[in-house]
């Protein structure tokens, strides 16, 4: 369990990114090896080869630096009321998610994450602009299942927050809407409903008079 009100880092995030970088480097090395084995590499102008090599080295060198820099800026904190996340190498950002807006908490672990012994926790909220996926993902942590349980325990028993559409966020989607529909179904008619009934009665009387005129 993560200490409350204390910032913590995703300990396995750098390992996960470095393995991912190594996997991305494999195709580049394979292509270079095939070109060298077939002799095509030596037929390419040396300037082009040096330029391509410099681009590859610069790209992976920058990615290696960025992974470490991003890790230094990434922090999470679980407070009594919300989840906080701050990050950003060039532009600092901070995300705050109150527990009463959370509708679902899910965990996932891909092959690379499993290799480094890490996983991720996806936090979904009500009314997240109609977008797919989680609003916040806590990635690169070894105790992802425990963190999920810790967040769920915070969410349960809290009053749900209403969204912009008027629906109520809940760990069981649809509960708030169903309750609203039951309340509307058992409510007394409003002034607009009474006015509609009066208009229907008037139309019925007009129809009866027209039918009497045709039969006369």
């Amino acid at each position: 369990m993560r200490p409350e009100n204390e910032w913590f880092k995703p300990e396995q995030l750098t390992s996960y990114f470095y393995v991912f970088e190594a996997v991305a480097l494999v195709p580049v090395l394979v292509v270079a090896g095939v070109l060298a084995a077939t002799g095509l590499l030596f037929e390419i102008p040396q300037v082009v080869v040096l330029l391509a090599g410099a681009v590859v080295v610069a790209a992976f060198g920058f990615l290696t630096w960025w992974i470490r820099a991003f890790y230094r800026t990434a922090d999470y904190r679980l407070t009594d009321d919300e989840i906080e996340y701050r990050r950003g190498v060039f532009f600092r950002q901070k995300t705050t998610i109150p527990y009463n807006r959370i509708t679902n908490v899910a965990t996932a672990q891909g092959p690379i994450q499993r290799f480094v012994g890490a996983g991720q926790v996806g936090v979904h909220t009500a009314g997240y602009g109609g977008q797919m996926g989680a609003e916040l993902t806590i990635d690169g942590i070894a105790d992802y299942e425990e963190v999920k349980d810790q967040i769920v325990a915070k969410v349960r028993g809290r009053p749900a927050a209403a969204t912009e559409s008027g629906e109520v966020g809940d760990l069981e989607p649809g509960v708030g809407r169903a309750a609203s529909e039951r309340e509307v179904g058992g409510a007394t008619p409003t002034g607009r409903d009474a006015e509609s009934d009066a208009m229907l009665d008037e139309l019925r009387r007009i129809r009866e008079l027209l039918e009497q005129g045709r039969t006369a």
Side-chain angles (χ1 to χ4, degrees):
M1 178 177 293
R2 300 287 176 162
E4 193 172 293
N5 297 318
E6 292 185 13
W7 291 100
F8 66 90
K9 289 187 172 295
E11 300 85 0
Q12 302 298 324
L13 188 62
T14 53
S15 300
Y16 168 66
F17 280 158
Y18 285 146
V19 173
F20 195 85
E21 181 184 15
V23 171
L25 182 61
V26 169
V28 177
L29 297 178
V30 169
V31 171
V34 170
L35 292 176
T38 57
L40 295 177
L41 182 64
F42 306 103
E43 297 179 2
I44 302 175
Q46 187 175 7
V47 175
V48 176
V49 175
L50 292 177
L51 182 61
V55 170
V56 172
V57 171
F60 280 91
F62 173 80
L63 183 58
T64 301
W65 169 84
W66 181 88
I67 290 173
R68 196 66 192 176
F70 181 81
Y71 172 77
R72 287 195 297 267
T73 66
D75 296 288
Y76 300 91
R77 182 166 65 176
L78 305 178
T79 70
D80 189 53
D81 299 317
E82 59 194 11
I83 304 173
E84 297 180 2
Y85 175 33
R86 60 188 183 187
R87 75 284 192 197
V89 177
F90 302 107
F91 301 95
R92 294 288 292 172
Q93 301 177 6
K94 184 176 180 180
T95 300
T96 301
I97 301 180
Y99 293 125
N100 60 358
R101 284 184 52 217
I102 297 176
T103 58
N104 184 45
V105 184
T107 59
Q109 187 184 48
I112 298 179
Q113 292 170 324
R114 191 178 302 112
F115 178 77
V116 299
Q120 66 182 26
V121 179
V123 178
H124 302 255
T125 62
Y128 181 41
Q131 300 185 26
M132 299 296 292
E135 180 173 356
L136 172 64
T137 300
I138 304 176
D139 205 350
I141 55 176
D143 56 340
Y144 59 98
E145 290 289 353
E146 290 78 6
V147 171
K148 172 197 171 184
D149 294 339
Q150 187 174 354
I151 296 174
V152 170
K154 290 287 188 180
V155 174
R156 286 175 177 166
R158 292 176 180 269
T163 66
E164 295 179 357
S165 62
E167 296 183 5
V168 177
D170 199 294
L171 282 179
E172 298 177 4
V175 173
R177 180 182 297 179
S180 299
E181 291 175 351
R182 287 196 297 270
E183 292 173 3
V184 172
T188 58
T190 62
R192 181 172 295 180
D193 294 334
E195 183 179 352
S196 299
D197 292 341
M199 292 177 62
L200 288 174
D201 292 338
E202 186 68 23
L203 290 174
R204 291 192 189 98
R205 286 196 294 269
I206 294 173
R207 179 180 177 183
E208 292 174 356
L209 291 175
L210 291 175
E211 290 178 350
Q212 291 176 2
R214 286 198 300 269
T215 57

